[in-house]
Every structure is written in structure tokens, then in C-alpha cells.
Amino acid sequence: TQRFYRIGPASRPYTDQMYSQLSHSFKGNGLRPFAPAFLQATVENGDLIASWIRRSRSVVDGWNVADVPIFENQERYQVKIWKNGALLRETFVTEPQWTYSNTQINEDGATGDIVIQVAQMSDVYGPGLFSDLSTTL
């Protein structure tokens, strides 16, 4: 939605020539998904298993539901693996967990300190805010 603004000195009426008018359209940050909560990682048999809890922007104040509503056509997450500022792997998953296999870890050279990032995906907005976790392999 396009918004219009008049900017000028507060001591003068907004119809004064010193005011300028701007218009701007915003992307809709109110639709941006929250970052996933409780991102954690464990290593089992050489595989790194990352898991998290999805978050919702509305209808989440009840204790009688097992999980918060998605409000999207599908549940999707973007997962990224970083090492020393370089992106090693990026993937999309449809559940709140992902296994980084020992084979993938070796292919990517992901030994030592890495950062895992996870964002909820929105059909309308795209990726939301990322949660990140530093760990050592």
C-alpha cells in the first residue's frame, strides 16, 4: 500500500511551500514470519541433527493446542550452514528439523566452528527472520 507523507518545519502549516511530499510503498513487515525458537543441534553417529520450534504471528495465546497454526499454504524452512562467513550449504525443509549428514559435512568441509541459520518461509513475504546457532563439529 502506498503511503503519503508531508515533511517540513513544525512551526509552519503543512500547506507551506517549505513542506515536501513523499510517497513510499512498504513491503509488509507485519507479514514477515518470526524467527524460529529454541534452535538446537546435537551430533549423533557423526550426523548433526538440528531442530527448532516454529512461531506464529496470531492465534497463539492458548495452551490447549499441540502446535501453533502455520497460516501458510505449507510449512517450509530455509536452512543455511556457514563457516568463516562462507555459505557452505543451503536447503529447504518441510518440518522443524534437519539432518546434516556426516557425508554432507565432509563434502562441505564443515569441521570446526560453523553457524546454522533457520528461517520460516512465507508464500507472501519470503524468508522471515533467521535464528542462528554457533556450534563445533
Side-chain angles (χ1 to χ4, degrees), residues 39-44 47-53 76-82 87-108 110 114-119 133 135 137:
L39 175 57
Q40 58 186 354
T42 57
V43 177
E44 294 180 19
D47 297 342
L48 181 129
I49 301 168
S51 63
W52 54 89
I53 297 174
R76 277 188 26 189
Y77 304 92
Q78 183 178 17
V79 181
K80 295 181 179 183
I81 301 294
W82 297 86
L87 180 63
L88 300 180
R89 184 170 293 265
E90 177 180 28
T91 190
F92 294 88
V93 297
T94 58
E95 57 186 354
Q97 66 179 18
W98 176 64
T99 299
Y100 193 23
S101 72
N102 188 31
T103 303
Q104 292 170 325
I105 292 168
N106 290 330
E107 285 173 0
D108 297 344
I114 64 165
V115 175
I116 305 164
Q117 287 188 320
V118 179
L133 174 71
T135 190
L137 294 175

mmCIF file of all heavy atoms in Angstrom, residues 39-44 47-53 76-82 87-108 110 114-119 133 135 137:
data_model
loop_
_atom_site.group_PDB
_atom_site.id
_atom_site.type_symbol
_atom_site.label_atom_id
_atom_site.label_comp_id
_atom_site.label_asym_id
_atom_site.label_seq_id
_atom_site.Cartn_x
_atom_site.Cartn_y
_atom_site.Cartn_z
ATOM 1 N N LEU A 39 16.282 -23.079 18.652
ATOM 2 C CA LEU A 39 17.136 -23.785 17.707
ATOM 3 C C LEU A 39 18.213 -24.522 18.497
ATOM 4 O O LEU A 39 18.882 -23.938 19.342
ATOM 5 C CB LEU A 39 17.764 -22.787 16.725
ATOM 6 C CG LEU A 39 18.782 -23.309 15.721
ATOM 7 C CD1 LEU A 39 18.190 -24.423 14.863
ATOM 8 C CD2 LEU A 39 19.285 -22.168 14.850
ATOM 9 N N GLN A 40 18.327 -25.818 18.236
ATOM 10 C CA GLN A 40 19.339 -26.610 18.923
ATOM 11 C C GLN A 40 19.916 -27.635 17.964
ATOM 12 O O GLN A 40 19.312 -27.945 16.932
ATOM 13 C CB GLN A 40 18.752 -27.301 20.145
ATOM 14 C CG GLN A 40 17.583 -28.209 19.857
ATOM 15 C CD GLN A 40 16.954 -28.749 21.128
ATOM 16 O OE1 GLN A 40 17.454 -28.530 22.232
ATOM 17 N NE2 GLN A 40 15.859 -29.464 20.987
ATOM 18 N N ALA A 41 21.095 -28.136 18.293
ATOM 19 C CA ALA A 41 21.759 -29.126 17.447
ATOM 20 C C ALA A 41 22.456 -30.151 18.318
ATOM 21 O O ALA A 41 23.040 -29.820 19.348
ATOM 22 C CB ALA A 41 22.760 -28.445 16.525
ATOM 23 N N THR A 42 22.367 -31.406 17.887
ATOM 24 C CA THR A 42 23.070 -32.492 18.547
ATOM 25 C C THR A 42 23.791 -33.304 17.474
ATOM 26 O O THR A 42 23.393 -33.291 16.305
ATOM 27 C CB THR A 42 22.114 -33.419 19.315
ATOM 28 O OG1 THR A 42 21.133 -33.929 18.401
ATOM 29 C CG2 THR A 42 21.405 -32.681 20.434
ATOM 30 N N VAL A 43 24.836 -33.984 17.873
ATOM 31 C CA VAL A 43 25.575 -34.839 16.952
ATOM 32 C C VAL A 43 25.327 -36.288 17.367
ATOM 33 O O VAL A 43 25.528 -36.653 18.520
ATOM 34 C CB VAL A 43 27.085 -34.519 16.968
ATOM 35 C CG1 VAL A 43 27.851 -35.467 16.071
ATOM 36 C CG2 VAL A 43 27.325 -33.080 16.540
ATOM 37 N N GLU A 44 24.858 -37.078 16.391
ATOM 38 C CA GLU A 44 24.609 -38.500 16.615
ATOM 39 C C GLU A 44 25.212 -39.289 15.465
ATOM 40 O O GLU A 44 24.861 -39.069 14.302
ATOM 41 C CB GLU A 44 23.107 -38.781 16.688
ATOM 42 C CG GLU A 44 22.416 -38.153 17.877
ATOM 43 C CD GLU A 44 20.927 -38.443 17.914
ATOM 44 O OE1 GLU A 44 20.472 -39.393 17.245
ATOM 45 O OE2 GLU A 44 20.225 -37.697 18.616
ATOM 46 N N ASP A 47 26.373 -37.423 12.410
ATOM 47 C CA ASP A 47 25.401 -36.525 11.781
ATOM 48 C C ASP A 47 25.033 -35.411 12.752
ATOM 49 O O ASP A 47 24.906 -35.644 13.957
ATOM 50 C CB ASP A 47 24.118 -37.269 11.410
ATOM 51 C CG ASP A 47 24.326 -38.364 10.383
ATOM 52 O OD1 ASP A 47 25.364 -38.351 9.698
ATOM 53 O OD2 ASP A 47 23.448 -39.234 10.269
ATOM 54 N N LEU A 48 24.842 -34.213 12.221
ATOM 55 C CA LEU A 48 24.358 -33.107 13.039
ATOM 56 C C LEU A 48 22.841 -33.020 12.838
ATOM 57 O O LEU A 48 22.378 -32.920 11.698
ATOM 58 C CB LEU A 48 25.022 -31.798 12.618
ATOM 59 C CG LEU A 48 24.575 -30.596 13.444
ATOM 60 C CD1 LEU A 48 25.780 -29.848 13.968
ATOM 61 C CD2 LEU A 48 23.724 -29.671 12.614
ATOM 62 N N ILE A 49 22.097 -33.082 13.910
ATOM 63 C CA ILE A 49 20.640 -33.013 13.832
ATOM 64 C C ILE A 49 20.192 -31.693 14.453
ATOM 65 O O ILE A 49 20.381 -31.464 15.646
ATOM 66 C CB ILE A 49 19.980 -34.206 14.554
ATOM 67 C CG1 ILE A 49 20.468 -35.504 13.906
ATOM 68 C CG2 ILE A 49 18.461 -34.088 14.509
ATOM 69 C CD1 ILE A 49 20.140 -36.737 14.686
ATOM 70 N N ALA A 50 19.641 -30.821 13.613
ATOM 71 C CA ALA A 50 19.149 -29.517 14.062
ATOM 72 C C ALA A 50 17.635 -29.587 14.195
ATOM 73 O O ALA A 50 16.959 -30.195 13.362
ATOM 74 C CB ALA A 50 19.538 -28.429 13.075
ATOM 75 N N SER A 51 17.118 -28.958 15.247
ATOM 76 C CA SER A 51 15.662 -28.895 15.428
ATOM 77 C C SER A 51 15.300 -27.550 16.019
ATOM 78 O O SER A 51 16.139 -26.858 16.599
ATOM 79 C CB SER A 51 15.175 -30.035 16.323
ATOM 80 O OG SER A 51 15.727 -29.925 17.618
ATOM 81 N N TRP A 52 14.032 -27.165 15.870
ATOM 82 C CA TRP A 52 13.556 -25.867 16.329
ATOM 83 C C TRP A 52 12.051 -25.933 16.501
ATOM 84 O O TRP A 52 11.403 -26.912 16.134
ATOM 85 C CB TRP A 52 13.944 -24.776 15.336
ATOM 86 C CG TRP A 52 13.506 -25.063 13.931
ATOM 87 C CD1 TRP A 52 12.320 -24.738 13.343
ATOM 88 C CD2 TRP A 52 14.236 -25.793 12.934
ATOM 89 N NE1 TRP A 52 12.266 -25.193 12.045
ATOM 90 C CE2 TRP A 52 13.427 -25.852 11.773
ATOM 91 C CE3 TRP A 52 15.490 -26.409 12.905
ATOM 92 C CZ2 TRP A 52 13.845 -26.485 10.607
ATOM 93 C CZ3 TRP A 52 15.890 -27.039 11.745
ATOM 94 C CH2 TRP A 52 15.071 -27.064 10.614
ATOM 95 N N ILE A 53 11.486 -24.857 17.011
ATOM 96 C CA ILE A 53 10.036 -24.739 17.185
ATOM 97 C C ILE A 53 9.564 -23.554 16.360
ATOM 98 O O ILE A 53 10.129 -22.458 16.452
ATOM 99 C CB ILE A 53 9.662 -24.543 18.669
ATOM 100 C CG1 ILE A 53 10.085 -25.784 19.455
ATOM 101 C CG2 ILE A 53 8.169 -24.266 18.826
ATOM 102 C CD1 ILE A 53 9.896 -25.663 20.946
ATOM 103 N N ARG A 76 7.366 -24.578 5.649
ATOM 104 C CA ARG A 76 8.680 -24.620 4.992
ATOM 105 C C ARG A 76 9.689 -23.791 5.768
ATOM 106 O O ARG A 76 9.339 -22.774 6.359
ATOM 107 C CB ARG A 76 8.602 -24.053 3.567
ATOM 108 C CG ARG A 76 8.128 -25.030 2.555
ATOM 109 C CD ARG A 76 8.252 -24.513 1.151
ATOM 110 N NE ARG A 76 9.316 -23.516 1.043
ATOM 111 C CZ ARG A 76 9.527 -22.775 -0.025
ATOM 112 N NH1 ARG A 76 8.789 -22.901 -1.075
ATOM 113 N NH2 ARG A 76 10.484 -21.887 -0.066
ATOM 114 N N TYR A 77 10.930 -24.240 5.728
ATOM 115 C CA TYR A 77 12.025 -23.541 6.392
ATOM 116 C C TYR A 77 13.226 -23.482 5.466
ATOM 117 O O TYR A 77 13.468 -24.395 4.686
ATOM 118 C CB TYR A 77 12.439 -24.271 7.676
ATOM 119 C CG TYR A 77 11.300 -24.459 8.636
ATOM 120 C CD1 TYR A 77 10.533 -25.626 8.608
ATOM 121 C CD2 TYR A 77 10.972 -23.477 9.548
ATOM 122 C CE1 TYR A 77 9.473 -25.796 9.472
ATOM 123 C CE2 TYR A 77 9.906 -23.641 10.420
ATOM 124 C CZ TYR A 77 9.161 -24.810 10.375
ATOM 125 O OH TYR A 77 8.113 -24.971 11.218
ATOM 126 N N GLN A 78 13.977 -22.403 5.559
ATOM 127 C CA GLN A 78 15.246 -22.271 4.858
ATOM 128 C C GLN A 78 16.344 -22.508 5.878
ATOM 129 O O GLN A 78 16.349 -21.892 6.950
ATOM 130 C CB GLN A 78 15.367 -20.881 4.252
ATOM 131 C CG GLN A 78 16.615 -20.668 3.444
ATOM 132 C CD GLN A 78 16.666 -19.273 2.811
ATOM 133 O OE1 GLN A 78 15.948 -18.362 3.212
ATOM 134 N NE2 GLN A 78 17.518 -19.112 1.828
ATOM 135 N N VAL A 79 17.272 -23.414 5.558
ATOM 136 C CA VAL A 79 18.379 -23.750 6.452
ATOM 137 C C VAL A 79 19.682 -23.419 5.734
ATOM 138 O O VAL A 79 19.865 -23.773 4.568
ATOM 139 C CB VAL A 79 18.351 -25.250 6.834
ATOM 140 C CG1 VAL A 79 19.497 -25.578 7.783
ATOM 141 C CG2 VAL A 79 17.019 -25.633 7.457
ATOM 142 N N LYS A 80 20.570 -22.728 6.440
ATOM 143 C CA LYS A 80 21.881 -22.377 5.879
ATOM 144 C C LYS A 80 22.971 -22.806 6.852
ATOM 145 O O LYS A 80 22.800 -22.702 8.068
ATOM 146 C CB LYS A 80 21.997 -20.867 5.657
ATOM 147 C CG LYS A 80 21.058 -20.308 4.622
ATOM 148 C CD LYS A 80 21.274 -18.810 4.464
ATOM 149 C CE LYS A 80 20.363 -18.216 3.414
ATOM 150 N NZ LYS A 80 20.636 -16.779 3.225
ATOM 151 N N ILE A 81 24.087 -23.257 6.286
ATOM 152 C CA ILE A 81 25.269 -23.595 7.071
ATOM 153 C C ILE A 81 26.401 -22.672 6.621
ATOM 154 O O ILE A 81 26.700 -22.572 5.430
ATOM 155 C CB ILE A 81 25.699 -25.069 6.869
ATOM 156 C CG1 ILE A 81 24.577 -26.027 7.253
ATOM 157 C CG2 ILE A 81 26.984 -25.375 7.657
ATOM 158 C CD1 ILE A 81 24.212 -26.034 8.726
ATOM 159 N N TRP A 82 27.020 -21.995 7.588
ATOM 160 C CA TRP A 82 28.101 -21.040 7.322
ATOM 161 C C TRP A 82 29.370 -21.469 8.054
ATOM 162 O O TRP A 82 29.303 -22.027 9.155
ATOM 163 C CB TRP A 82 27.720 -19.653 7.831
ATOM 164 C CG TRP A 82 26.540 -19.041 7.177
ATOM 165 C CD1 TRP A 82 25.223 -19.221 7.510
ATOM 166 C CD2 TRP A 82 26.541 -18.132 6.080
ATOM 167 N NE1 TRP A 82 24.418 -18.477 6.688
ATOM 168 C CE2 TRP A 82 25.203 -17.805 5.803
ATOM 169 C CE3 TRP A 82 27.551 -17.574 5.306
ATOM 170 C CZ2 TRP A 82 24.844 -16.931 4.786
ATOM 171 C CZ3 TRP A 82 27.203 -16.703 4.303
ATOM 172 C CH2 TRP A 82 25.863 -16.388 4.049
ATOM 173 N N LEU A 87 29.114 -19.343 2.863
ATOM 174 C CA LEU A 87 27.949 -20.224 2.841
ATOM 175 C C LEU A 87 28.377 -21.584 2.292
ATOM 176 O O LEU A 87 28.826 -21.692 1.158
ATOM 177 C CB LEU A 87 26.841 -19.622 1.968
ATOM 178 C CG LEU A 87 25.554 -20.420 1.846
ATOM 179 C CD1 LEU A 87 24.868 -20.565 3.200
ATOM 180 C CD2 LEU A 87 24.622 -19.761 0.845
ATOM 181 N N LEU A 88 28.217 -22.617 3.125
ATOM 182 C CA LEU A 88 28.600 -23.967 2.713
ATOM 183 C C LEU A 88 27.440 -24.750 2.120
ATOM 184 O O LEU A 88 27.620 -25.543 1.207
ATOM 185 C CB LEU A 88 29.150 -24.757 3.909
ATOM 186 C CG LEU A 88 30.382 -24.197 4.617
ATOM 187 C CD1 LEU A 88 30.779 -25.105 5.761
ATOM 188 C CD2 LEU A 88 31.529 -24.016 3.635
ATOM 189 N N ARG A 89 26.248 -24.553 2.673
ATOM 190 C CA ARG A 89 25.096 -25.322 2.214
ATOM 191 C C ARG A 89 23.821 -24.535 2.514
ATOM 192 O O ARG A 89 23.715 -23.871 3.533
ATOM 193 C CB ARG A 89 25.044 -26.682 2.911
ATOM 194 C CG ARG A 89 23.922 -27.581 2.403
ATOM 195 C CD ARG A 89 24.065 -28.998 2.938
ATOM 196 N NE ARG A 89 25.231 -29.681 2.414
ATOM 197 C CZ ARG A 89 25.232 -30.491 1.365
ATOM 198 N NH1 ARG A 89 24.116 -30.706 0.698
ATOM 199 N NH2 ARG A 89 26.340 -31.090 0.980
ATOM 200 N N GLU A 90 22.858 -24.653 1.598
ATOM 201 C CA GLU A 90 21.539 -24.049 1.781
ATOM 202 C C GLU A 90 20.517 -25.074 1.312
ATOM 203 O O GLU A 90 20.674 -25.690 0.266
ATOM 204 C CB GLU A 90 21.426 -22.775 0.958
ATOM 205 C CG GLU A 90 20.063 -22.119 1.039
ATOM 206 C CD GLU A 90 20.006 -20.852 0.198
ATOM 207 O OE1 GLU A 90 20.735 -20.740 -0.803
ATOM 208 O OE2 GLU A 90 19.199 -19.980 0.553
ATOM 209 N N THR A 91 19.473 -25.259 2.108
ATOM 210 C CA THR A 91 18.437 -26.217 1.755
ATOM 211 C C THR A 91 17.097 -25.749 2.299
ATOM 212 O O THR A 91 17.040 -24.839 3.136
ATOM 213 C CB THR A 91 18.789 -27.631 2.274
ATOM 214 O OG1 THR A 91 17.886 -28.572 1.717
ATOM 215 C CG2 THR A 91 18.734 -27.693 3.792
ATOM 216 N N PHE A 92 16.033 -26.364 1.812
ATOM 217 C CA PHE A 92 14.678 -26.065 2.289
ATOM 218 C C PHE A 92 14.066 -27.359 2.799
ATOM 219 O O PHE A 92 14.216 -28.413 2.159
ATOM 220 C CB PHE A 92 13.827 -25.476 1.159
ATOM 221 C CG PHE A 92 14.319 -24.133 0.707
ATOM 222 C CD1 PHE A 92 15.281 -24.024 -0.289
ATOM 223 C CD2 PHE A 92 13.836 -22.968 1.285
ATOM 224 C CE1 PHE A 92 15.762 -22.793 -0.697
ATOM 225 C CE2 PHE A 92 14.311 -21.724 0.883
ATOM 226 C CZ PHE A 92 15.268 -21.639 -0.110
ATOM 227 N N VAL A 93 13.416 -27.285 3.942
ATOM 228 C CA VAL A 93 12.794 -28.460 4.543
ATOM 229 C C VAL A 93 11.346 -28.142 4.903
ATOM 230 O O VAL A 93 10.968 -26.976 5.017
ATOM 231 C CB VAL A 93 13.572 -28.955 5.780
ATOM 232 C CG1 VAL A 93 14.968 -29.411 5.393
ATOM 233 C CG2 VAL A 93 13.665 -27.878 6.855
ATOM 234 N N THR A 94 10.553 -29.188 5.099
ATOM 235 C CA THR A 94 9.123 -29.009 5.362
ATOM 236 C C THR A 94 8.719 -29.435 6.766
ATOM 237 O O THR A 94 7.536 -29.592 7.047
ATOM 238 C CB THR A 94 8.295 -29.799 4.336
ATOM 239 O OG1 THR A 94 8.664 -31.178 4.413
ATOM 240 C CG2 THR A 94 8.514 -29.267 2.931
ATOM 241 N N GLU A 95 9.681 -29.622 7.643
ATOM 242 C CA GLU A 95 9.399 -29.932 9.041
ATOM 243 C C GLU A 95 10.438 -29.236 9.909
ATOM 244 O O GLU A 95 11.509 -28.873 9.411
ATOM 245 C CB GLU A 95 9.381 -31.440 9.271
ATOM 246 C CG GLU A 95 10.658 -32.143 8.877
ATOM 247 C CD GLU A 95 10.541 -33.654 8.992
ATOM 248 O OE1 GLU A 95 9.521 -34.159 9.469
ATOM 249 O OE2 GLU A 95 11.497 -34.328 8.605
ATOM 250 N N PRO A 96 10.146 -29.070 11.187
ATOM 251 C CA PRO A 96 11.054 -28.287 12.036
ATOM 252 C C PRO A 96 12.279 -29.070 12.522
ATOM 253 O O PRO A 96 12.624 -29.048 13.703
ATOM 254 C CB PRO A 96 10.157 -27.844 13.192
ATOM 255 C CG PRO A 96 9.112 -28.885 13.276
ATOM 256 C CD PRO A 96 8.891 -29.370 11.881
ATOM 257 N N GLN A 97 12.927 -29.739 11.598
ATOM 258 C CA GLN A 97 14.195 -30.399 11.891
ATOM 259 C C GLN A 97 14.912 -30.708 10.589
ATOM 260 O O GLN A 97 14.294 -30.769 9.526
ATOM 261 C CB GLN A 97 13.993 -31.679 12.696
ATOM 262 C CG GLN A 97 13.268 -32.767 11.944
ATOM 263 C CD GLN A 97 13.110 -34.018 12.793
ATOM 264 O OE1 GLN A 97 13.234 -33.983 14.013
ATOM 265 N NE2 GLN A 97 12.835 -35.128 12.154
ATOM 266 N N TRP A 98 16.223 -30.894 10.703
ATOM 267 C CA TRP A 98 17.027 -31.213 9.527
ATOM 268 C C TRP A 98 18.256 -31.961 9.978
ATOM 269 O O TRP A 98 18.863 -31.630 10.996
ATOM 270 C CB TRP A 98 17.426 -29.931 8.801
ATOM 271 C CG TRP A 98 18.342 -30.136 7.635
ATOM 272 C CD1 TRP A 98 18.061 -30.816 6.481
ATOM 273 C CD2 TRP A 98 19.682 -29.677 7.502
ATOM 274 N NE1 TRP A 98 19.135 -30.796 5.627
ATOM 275 C CE2 TRP A 98 20.150 -30.091 6.246
ATOM 276 C CE3 TRP A 98 20.535 -28.946 8.316
ATOM 277 C CZ2 TRP A 98 21.427 -29.807 5.775
ATOM 278 C CZ3 TRP A 98 21.803 -28.650 7.855
ATOM 279 C CH2 TRP A 98 22.237 -29.082 6.601
ATOM 280 N N THR A 99 18.631 -32.967 9.202
ATOM 281 C CA THR A 99 19.835 -33.734 9.491
ATOM 282 C C THR A 99 20.916 -33.372 8.479
ATOM 283 O O THR A 99 20.718 -33.515 7.268
ATOM 284 C CB THR A 99 19.555 -35.247 9.441
ATOM 285 O OG1 THR A 99 18.570 -35.559 10.429
ATOM 286 C CG2 THR A 99 20.817 -36.046 9.724
ATOM 287 N N TYR A 100 22.034 -32.909 8.988
ATOM 288 C CA TYR A 100 23.223 -32.603 8.199
ATOM 289 C C TYR A 100 24.098 -33.838 8.309
ATOM 290 O O TYR A 100 24.794 -34.039 9.304
ATOM 291 C CB TYR A 100 23.891 -31.365 8.788
ATOM 292 C CG TYR A 100 24.959 -30.689 7.972
ATOM 293 C CD1 TYR A 100 25.054 -30.802 6.597
ATOM 294 C CD2 TYR A 100 25.896 -29.885 8.614
ATOM 295 C CE1 TYR A 100 26.032 -30.146 5.873
ATOM 296 C CE2 TYR A 100 26.886 -29.214 7.903
ATOM 297 C CZ TYR A 100 26.950 -29.352 6.536
ATOM 298 O OH TYR A 100 27.920 -28.691 5.822
ATOM 299 N N SER A 101 24.042 -34.684 7.294
ATOM 300 C CA SER A 101 24.695 -35.988 7.377
ATOM 301 C C SER A 101 26.210 -35.853 7.432
ATOM 302 O O SER A 101 26.787 -34.855 6.982
ATOM 303 C CB SER A 101 24.293 -36.869 6.194
ATOM 304 O OG SER A 101 24.907 -36.399 5.007
ATOM 305 N N ASN A 102 26.846 -36.887 7.970
ATOM 306 C CA ASN A 102 28.296 -36.921 8.050
ATOM 307 C C ASN A 102 28.900 -36.795 6.654
ATOM 308 O O ASN A 102 29.913 -36.113 6.461
ATOM 309 C CB ASN A 102 28.742 -38.217 8.731
ATOM 310 C CG ASN A 102 30.223 -38.228 9.021
ATOM 311 O OD1 ASN A 102 30.823 -37.190 9.270
ATOM 312 N ND2 ASN A 102 30.822 -39.404 8.984
ATOM 313 N N THR A 103 28.265 -37.396 5.647
ATOM 314 C CA THR A 103 28.729 -37.296 4.258
ATOM 315 C C THR A 103 28.674 -35.845 3.787
ATOM 316 O O THR A 103 29.639 -35.338 3.191
ATOM 317 C CB THR A 103 27.868 -38.185 3.335
ATOM 318 O OG1 THR A 103 27.928 -39.526 3.805
ATOM 319 C CG2 THR A 103 28.343 -38.110 1.905
ATOM 320 N N GLN A 104 27.558 -35.145 4.043
ATOM 321 C CA GLN A 104 27.439 -33.735 3.654
ATOM 322 C C GLN A 104 28.458 -32.870 4.391
ATOM 323 O O GLN A 104 29.058 -31.964 3.797
ATOM 324 C CB GLN A 104 26.028 -33.231 3.948
ATOM 325 C CG GLN A 104 24.963 -33.850 3.074
ATOM 326 C CD GLN A 104 23.564 -33.497 3.556
ATOM 327 O OE1 GLN A 104 23.301 -33.378 4.764
ATOM 328 N NE2 GLN A 104 22.649 -33.334 2.606
ATOM 329 N N ILE A 105 28.638 -33.138 5.670
ATOM 330 C CA ILE A 105 29.618 -32.382 6.470
ATOM 331 C C ILE A 105 31.004 -32.503 5.849
ATOM 332 O O ILE A 105 31.715 -31.510 5.680
ATOM 333 C CB ILE A 105 29.608 -32.878 7.936
ATOM 334 C CG1 ILE A 105 28.295 -32.501 8.616
ATOM 335 C CG2 ILE A 105 30.805 -32.322 8.712
ATOM 336 C CD1 ILE A 105 28.057 -33.168 9.959
ATOM 337 N N ASN A 106 31.389 -33.732 5.481
ATOM 338 C CA ASN A 106 32.703 -33.943 4.866
ATOM 339 C C ASN A 106 32.796 -33.316 3.489
ATOM 340 O O ASN A 106 33.830 -32.725 3.137
ATOM 341 C CB ASN A 106 33.023 -35.444 4.806
ATOM 342 C CG ASN A 106 33.280 -36.017 6.189
ATOM 343 O OD1 ASN A 106 33.756 -35.325 7.077
ATOM 344 N ND2 ASN A 106 32.936 -37.274 6.379
ATOM 345 N N GLU A 107 31.728 -33.417 2.684
ATOM 346 C CA GLU A 107 31.715 -32.780 1.349
ATOM 347 C C GLU A 107 31.919 -31.274 1.453
ATOM 348 O O GLU A 107 32.600 -30.669 0.634
ATOM 349 C CB GLU A 107 30.376 -33.040 0.642
ATOM 350 C CG GLU A 107 30.183 -34.415 0.101
ATOM 351 C CD GLU A 107 28.768 -34.630 -0.438
ATOM 352 O OE1 GLU A 107 27.941 -33.682 -0.389
ATOM 353 O OE2 GLU A 107 28.486 -35.752 -0.889
ATOM 354 N N ASP A 108 31.276 -30.664 2.474
ATOM 355 C CA ASP A 108 31.322 -29.208 2.635
ATOM 356 C C ASP A 108 32.562 -28.720 3.376
ATOM 357 O O ASP A 108 32.809 -27.517 3.439
ATOM 358 C CB ASP A 108 30.068 -28.722 3.380
ATOM 359 C CG ASP A 108 28.785 -28.984 2.618
ATOM 360 O OD1 ASP A 108 28.863 -29.259 1.400
ATOM 361 O OD2 ASP A 108 27.705 -28.929 3.242
ATOM 362 N N ALA A 110 32.917 -28.923 6.632
ATOM 363 C CA ALA A 110 32.289 -28.194 7.737
ATOM 364 C C ALA A 110 32.783 -28.635 9.108
ATOM 365 O O ALA A 110 32.024 -28.659 10.072
ATOM 366 C CB ALA A 110 30.768 -28.354 7.653
ATOM 367 N N ILE A 114 31.009 -23.788 13.053
ATOM 368 C CA ILE A 114 30.046 -23.459 11.998
ATOM 369 C C ILE A 114 28.885 -22.702 12.613
ATOM 370 O O ILE A 114 28.715 -22.678 13.829
ATOM 371 C CB ILE A 114 29.518 -24.709 11.259
ATOM 372 C CG1 ILE A 114 28.726 -25.607 12.226
ATOM 373 C CG2 ILE A 114 30.639 -25.466 10.575
ATOM 374 C CD1 ILE A 114 27.879 -26.646 11.528
ATOM 375 N N VAL A 115 28.077 -22.084 11.761
ATOM 376 C CA VAL A 115 26.854 -21.405 12.187
ATOM 377 C C VAL A 115 25.695 -22.002 11.392
ATOM 378 O O VAL A 115 25.768 -22.120 10.171
ATOM 379 C CB VAL A 115 26.925 -19.881 11.960
ATOM 380 C CG1 VAL A 115 25.602 -19.210 12.306
ATOM 381 C CG2 VAL A 115 28.058 -19.275 12.772
ATOM 382 N N ILE A 116 24.652 -22.391 12.106
ATOM 383 C CA ILE A 116 23.419 -22.882 11.493
ATOM 384 C C ILE A 116 22.411 -21.750 11.557
ATOM 385 O O ILE A 116 22.223 -21.143 12.615
ATOM 386 C CB ILE A 116 22.859 -24.089 12.265
ATOM 387 C CG1 ILE A 116 23.906 -25.184 12.397
ATOM 388 C CG2 ILE A 116 21.581 -24.604 11.620
ATOM 389 C CD1 ILE A 116 23.561 -26.213 13.446
ATOM 390 N N GLN A 117 21.758 -21.459 10.433
ATOM 391 C CA GLN A 117 20.692 -20.451 10.398
ATOM 392 C C GLN A 117 19.417 -21.105 9.880
ATOM 393 O O GLN A 117 19.463 -21.883 8.927
ATOM 394 C CB GLN A 117 21.041 -19.297 9.469
ATOM 395 C CG GLN A 117 22.098 -18.376 9.986
ATOM 396 C CD GLN A 117 22.246 -17.160 9.088
ATOM 397 O OE1 GLN A 117 22.197 -17.269 7.869
ATOM 398 N NE2 GLN A 117 22.419 -15.998 9.687
ATOM 399 N N VAL A 118 18.292 -20.747 10.505
ATOM 400 C CA VAL A 118 16.995 -21.279 10.084
ATOM 401 C C VAL A 118 15.987 -20.138 10.060
ATOM 402 O O VAL A 118 15.907 -19.341 11.000
ATOM 403 C CB VAL A 118 16.491 -22.377 11.046
ATOM 404 C CG1 VAL A 118 15.137 -22.900 10.603
ATOM 405 C CG2 VAL A 118 17.488 -23.513 11.152
ATOM 406 N N ALA A 119 15.198 -20.075 8.962
ATOM 407 C CA ALA A 119 14.127 -19.076 8.840
ATOM 408 C C ALA A 119 12.856 -19.775 8.389
ATOM 409 O O ALA A 119 12.899 -20.698 7.570
ATOM 410 C CB ALA A 119 14.495 -17.993 7.838
ATOM 411 N N LEU A 133 22.639 -20.436 15.330
ATOM 412 C CA LEU A 133 23.285 -21.188 16.397
ATOM 413 C C LEU A 133 24.708 -21.495 15.979
ATOM 414 O O LEU A 133 24.940 -22.036 14.884
ATOM 415 C CB LEU A 133 22.515 -22.500 16.646
ATOM 416 C CG LEU A 133 23.129 -23.472 17.640
ATOM 417 C CD1 LEU A 133 23.012 -22.904 19.061
ATOM 418 C CD2 LEU A 133 22.437 -24.822 17.547
ATOM 419 N N THR A 135 28.036 -23.691 16.556
ATOM 420 C CA THR A 135 28.393 -24.991 17.134
ATOM 421 C C THR A 135 29.722 -25.435 16.545
ATOM 422 O O THR A 135 30.216 -24.853 15.578
ATOM 423 C CB THR A 135 27.281 -26.037 16.888
ATOM 424 O OG1 THR A 135 27.545 -27.197 17.654
ATOM 425 C CG2 THR A 135 27.161 -26.380 15.417
ATOM 426 N N LEU A 137 31.892 -28.807 15.078
ATOM 427 C CA LEU A 137 31.842 -30.193 14.607
ATOM 428 C C LEU A 137 33.232 -30.811 14.657
ATOM 429 O O LEU A 137 34.215 -30.164 14.473
ATOM 430 C CB LEU A 137 31.322 -30.257 13.175
ATOM 431 C CG LEU A 137 29.877 -29.842 12.981
ATOM 432 C CD1 LEU A 137 29.518 -29.822 11.504
ATOM 433 C CD2 LEU A 137 28.960 -30.799 13.709
#
